[in-house]
C-alpha cells in the first residue's frame, strides 16, 4: 500500500475516533445557564430539554447585574454556557461587555423575527413583552388616548404614574423614541411627561397599575406580563386592581407599541457551545414557545404561535418594528436624557 494512502486511512480513523469521542460527550454532556429569570419560570422547560436531548442542565439564578459582573470576573474560567436575561438593553450590555459570542443558526433565524434578535447573532429574543398605556376604566375613555407622545400634553397634568428612570423598561422605551424621532423631540416629550406626574416615581410596574386602580393617577405605562399576572393572580387585591384598568395600544398611526424581549446568548467562553445552541433552538421551538410565553404571560417571539387567552383578550396591536438591539445601543443616551428631563 502506498504510504500516502496509509496516511489517508490513518487520518480518517483519527477523524472517526474524534467524532466517536465527541458524540457521546455531547449526548451525555451538560449545559450551564446563568439565568436572571426565576427558576419556576424556566425549570420545567429545561427538564423537557434534558429528557429530549440527553443533556444535563445546570441552572444558576441571580440578579441581572450580578450575573453580568460574575461572567466578567470569571472570564475564561466561567462555567456558564448561556446567559438568560430580560430586556434587550441588558442583552446588549452583555454583548458590549464581551461576555457573549456570535451564533449563527438557521433554526433560530427561521423562528425568531430579525427585529427580536441581535443582528450579529450575539443574543436571541425568546419572548416578547409590550409596554402599552394602562388606564382607569372609570375615568378615562379610550378615545382620549392616542400615542405615548400625547401623554406629555398638559391635559394629563397630575394624572400620570410612571416608575423611575432607573427602570431599564423606561430606559428602553425612551431609547426607542430617540431611535424614531431623535433626542431633541424625545427630551421635550420627557419633560412634558414629568410635568404631568401625579407623584414622584416609586415602585414597580405592578405598583403603577395599583395606583391607577386606586385613583392616585389615571394612566400609566406597564409591561403586559405584569397586568397579565395580576389578572390571573391568586391575590384578590391584585385581581381587583387589574379589573379596574384596561390596556390601550398606543401609536397606531405612529411607530407603534414599544416592545422588548427576554432572551439569551451563548457566552464567549462556553465550553458546551453546541449544547447551548441546541438549548436555544429548543426554547425557540413551537411547544417551548407556547409554554414559556404562557407561563409568564408574555407574547411568543415566534409570530406563528398564538398568545395566551389572557393576552388575546386585549386585542391585536401594531408593534414597533425597530430592532430591539437599538434599545441597547441608545440606552446611555436615554439615561442621560431622562436625567436632564428631571425624571427621577
Ligand atoms: Fe419585569
Amino acid at each position: 500500500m502506498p504510504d500516502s494512502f496509509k496516511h489517508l486511512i490513518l487520518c480518517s480513523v483519527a477523524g472517526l475516533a474524534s467524532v466517536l469521542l465527541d458524540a457521546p460527550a455531547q449526548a451525555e454532556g451538560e449545559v450551564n445557564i446563568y439565568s436572571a429569570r426565576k427558576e419556576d419560570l424556566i425549570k420545567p422547560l429545561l427538564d423537557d430539554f434534558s429528557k429530549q436531548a440527553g443533556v444535563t442542565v445546570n441552572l444558576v439564578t441571580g440578579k441581572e447585574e450580578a450575573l453580568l459582573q460574575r461572567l466578567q470576573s470569571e472570564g475564561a474560567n466561567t462555567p456558564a454556557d448561556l446567559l438568560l436575561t430580560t430586556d434587550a438593553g441588558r442583552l446588549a450590555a452583555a454583548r458590549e461587555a464581551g461576555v457573549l459570542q456570535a451564533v449563527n443558526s438557521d433554526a433560530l433565524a427561521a423562528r425568531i423575527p430579525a427585529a427580536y434578535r441581535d443582528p450579529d447573532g450575539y443574543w436571541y429574543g425568546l419572548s416578547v413583552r409590550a409596554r402599552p398605556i394602562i388606564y382607569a376604566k372609570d375615568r378615562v375613555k379610550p378615545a382620549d388616548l392616542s400615542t405615548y407622545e400625547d401623554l406629555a400634553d398638559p391635559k394629563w397634568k397630575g394624572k400620570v404614574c410612571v416608575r423611575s428612570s432607573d427602570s431599564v423598561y423606561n430606559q428602553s422605551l425612551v431609547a426607542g423614541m430617540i431611535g424614531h424621532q431623535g433626542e431633541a423631540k424625545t427630551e421635550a416629550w420627557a419633560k412634558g411627561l414629568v410635568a404631568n406626574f401625579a407623584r414622584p416615581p416609586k415602585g414597580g410596574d405592578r405598583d403603577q397599575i395599583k395606583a391607577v386602580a386606586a385613583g392616585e393617577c389615571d394612566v400609566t405605562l406597564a409591561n403586559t406580563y405584569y397586568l397579565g399576572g395580576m389578572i390571573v393572580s391568586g391575590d384578590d387585591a391584585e385581581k381587583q386592581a387589574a379589573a379596574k384598568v384596561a390596556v390601550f395600544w398606543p401609536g397606531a398611526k405612529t411607530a407603534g407599541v414599544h416592545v422588548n424581549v427576554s432572551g439569551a446568548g451563548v457566552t464567549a467562553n462556553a465550553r458546551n457551545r453546541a449544547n447551548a445552541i441546541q438549548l436555544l433552538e429548543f426554547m425557540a421551538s413551537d411547544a417551548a414557545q407556547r409554554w414559556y410565553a404562557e407561563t409568564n404571560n408574555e407574547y411568543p417571539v415566534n409570530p406563528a404561535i398564538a398568545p395566551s387567552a389572557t393576552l388575546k383578550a386585549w386585542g391585536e396591536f401594531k408593534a414597533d418594528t425597530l430592532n430591539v438591539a437599538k434599545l441597547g445601543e441608545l440606552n446611555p443616551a436615554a439615561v442621560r436624557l431622562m436625567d436632564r428631563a428631571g425624571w427621577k
Side-chain angles (χ1 to χ4, degrees), residues 308-327:
S308 71
T310 309
L311 273 59
K312 232 185 221 164
W314 300 332
E316 291 189 3
F317 62 93
K318 181 178 109 177
D320 190 345
T321 55
L322 189 77
N323 188 302
V324 290
K326 270 269 170 209
L327 308 177

Side-chain angles (χ1 to χ4, degrees), residues 53-314:
V55 172
T56 305
V57 181
N58 303 309
L59 182 65
V60 171
T61 303
K63 295 249 188 247
E64 319 260 355
E65 280 81 11
L67 290 176
L68 180 55
Q69 273 170 20
R70 186 162 164 181
L71 272 173
Q72 281 179 287
S73 62
E74 287 170 346
N77 296 321
T78 187
D81 301 304
L82 198 66
L83 174 68
L84 189 74
T85 182
T86 57
D87 202 283
R90 289 205 177 97
L91 290 161
R95 177 186 173 173
E96 190 68 25
V99 300
L100 300 180
Q101 64 170 290
V103 164
N104 289 307
S105 150
D106 292 342
L108 291 174
R111 291 166 189 164
I112 304 170
Y116 299 143
R117 52 184 153 90
D118 179 70
D120 302 316
Y122 280 79
W123 49 262
Y124 290 85
L126 293 171
S127 62
V128 174
R129 53 276 300 283
R131 197 160 179 77
I133 297 172
I134 310 283
Y135 65 93
K137 283 200 281 199
D138 63 343
R139 299 186 301 282
V140 177
K141 292 192 286 291
D144 297 334
L145 295 161
S146 57
T147 58
Y148 295 110
E149 288 82 350
D150 175 66
L151 294 180
D153 188 286
K155 75 179 181 203
W156 296 107
K157 188 144 191 81
K159 294 182 173 168
V160 179
C161 282
V162 179
R163 72 193 283 182
S164 99
S165 58
D166 290 344
S167 157
V168 74
Y169 303 144
N170 286 335
Q171 294 168 6
S172 288
L173 177 95
V174 171
M177 277 186 143
I178 295 174
H180 284 295
Q181 49 196 18
E183 286 202 32
K185 263 194 163 174
T186 306
E187 187 167 341
W189 170 78
K191 282 182 176 150
L193 186 76
V194 169
N196 288 339
F197 282 178
R199 58 177 193 180
K202 61 172 179 182
D205 279 11
R206 279 175 198 254
D207 298 309
Q208 314 310 313
I209 297 170
K210 287 176 193 165
V212 170
E216 261 190 86
C217 40
D218 286 355
V219 292
T220 189
L221 302 170
N223 284 358
T224 34
Y225 57 90
Y226 289 113
L227 182 59
M230 288 171 72
I231 288 172
V232 299
S233 173
D235 177 340
D236 274 353
E238 283 207 336
K239 230 181 184 140
Q240 282 163 15
K244 290 181 181 163
V245 304
V247 171
F248 180 82
W249 298 116
K253 287 179 185 155
T254 51
V257 177
H258 172 70
V259 288
N260 209 323
V261 296
S262 81
V266 176
T267 64
N269 295 296
R271 287 177 204 158
N272 305 289
R273 184 176 192 268
N275 290 344
I277 295 171
Q278 204 186 341
L279 175 55
L280 265 181
E281 291 173 349
F282 172 82
M283 291 188 78
S285 68
D286 290 7
Q289 276 287 296
R290 206 169 287 124
W291 186 90
Y292 191 53
E294 287 217 8
T295 301
N296 196 34
N297 300 289
E298 291 181 276
Y299 292 91
V301 75
N302 183 341
I305 312 298
S308 71
T310 309
L311 273 59
K312 232 185 221 164
W314 300 332

